[in-house]
Amino acid sequence: MSVRRLAAEQPEGFAFTPENLEWARAQIKKYPEGRQASAVLPILWRAQEQMGGWLPEPALRYVAGTLGMAYIRVYEIATFYTMFNLAPVGRYYVQICGTTPCWLRGADAIKDTCRRLIGEPNQVTPDGFFSWTEVECLGACVNAPMAQINKDYYEDLTPQRLEWILANLKAGREVAPGPQNGRQASAPLGGPTTLSDPDLYRDELPDDAPPNYQPETPSGRTKTRRTKSTPKEI
């Protein structure tokens, strides 16, 4: 793991908004007396969200004081977990997966697109809109290559599609997350290949079927079968 340090430039102070302070107190109440430190991860995360995606040093001291923890313990946690950003990030924080499945499917080209449009990793664009970094396995290997932008996943990417996404986000237009090539979730690209014969589902009960519903056979006669109210014979 690379060394993680706090940013050179820091704000003068930090304090939760009244809403976030109320939320933090509710998290602390979930734990027995003397175990308030157990809430450190979600409270650090909320502090990062309040700061627009990063944790300044005063926020670490504030969280330590709120939880009655030694500052060094909070510092250790913030510098260990890479989900905590120790320097400012862009309004849209782009995380590119570089693990093997994404790499095999073109993650290098996605990273090159970020370098061309945004700059080097962990640098914020002059307008404050974007920054990016490479991460390991975001858990959408079937849809490789993919990226996480803020809280949303964008999958089945191409360099052209990523450029389109960034342009629309900057313009304030909504972009649907998920697969970007039309596939349904993580289904095969060519559509279903098994269990596709309609006859397999001929005897299935409609969701709104009444208790004594009897489906018709191709000949037009009703077919005696088990209903929703009839127990299955063993």
Side-chain angles (χ1 to χ4, degrees), residues 140-161:
C141 303
V142 174
N143 302 81
M146 59 85 60
Q148 180 179 348
I149 304 178
N150 293 350
K151 294 183 178 181
D152 292 318
Y153 276 13
Y154 296 85
E155 304 154 349
D156 296 302
L157 290 174
T158 63
Q160 297 77 13
R161 188 64 179 180

Side-chain angles (χ1 to χ4, degrees), residues 1-23:
M1 178 183 291
S2 61
V3 177
R4 286 165 47 81
R5 295 187 174 91
L6 300 175
E9 295 185 9
Q10 296 286 333
E12 293 183 0
F14 174 89
F16 270 143
T17 63
E19 295 78 13
N20 281 341
L21 181 58
E22 182 180 356
W23 177 90

Side-chain angles (χ1 to χ4, degrees), residues 45-222:
W45 187 257
R46 182 58 65 98
Q48 176 166 280
E49 288 184 332
Q50 181 175 309
M51 285 298 300
W54 74 293
L55 276 176
E57 193 271 349
L60 305 186
R61 294 191 180 276
Y62 179 87
V63 171
T66 300
L67 296 175
M69 297 175 64
Y71 167 73
I72 188 61
R73 298 306 305 273
V74 179
Y75 177 87
E76 289 171 342
I77 293 167
T79 54
F80 177 81
Y81 289 103
T82 56
M83 67 183 186
F84 296 124
N85 299 311
L86 305 180
V89 298
R91 183 185 303 179
Y92 297 103
Y93 179 49
V94 183
Q95 300 177 72
I96 305 297
C97 181
T99 310
T100 304
C102 281
W103 175 72
L104 291 171
R105 294 279 293 171
D108 282 349
I110 302 300
K111 289 183 284 184
D112 288 342
T113 301
C114 286
R115 288 189 176 90
R116 176 170 58 86
L117 298 175
I118 300 174
E120 290 303 310
N122 304 312
Q123 294 182 2
V124 182
T125 54
D127 58 15
F129 271 97
F130 298 107
S131 65
W132 77 281
T133 191
E134 180 179 351
V135 296
E136 295 301 315
C137 196
L138 289 169
C141 303
V142 174
N143 302 81
M146 59 85 60
Q148 180 179 348
I149 304 178
N150 293 350
K151 294 183 178 181
D152 292 318
Y153 276 13
Y154 296 85
E155 304 154 349
D156 296 302
L157 290 174
T158 63
Q160 297 77 13
R161 188 64 179 180
L162 178 60
E163 184 170 354
W164 180 88
I165 290 171
L166 297 181
N168 278 272
L169 291 176
K170 185 174 182 178
R173 292 187 286 266
E174 291 188 8
V175 179
Q180 298 296 304
N181 61 354
R183 92 156 82 196
Q184 179 184 3
S186 297
L189 279 172
T193 58
T194 60
L195 303 177
S196 58
D197 186 348
D199 284 343
L200 293 171
Y201 311 100
R202 187 172 54 193
D203 292 336
E204 292 291 327
L205 288 175
D207 291 338
D208 58 349
N212 295 320
Y213 174 81
Q214 297 293 341
E216 290 188 357
T217 64
S219 63
R221 294 176 298 178
T222 58

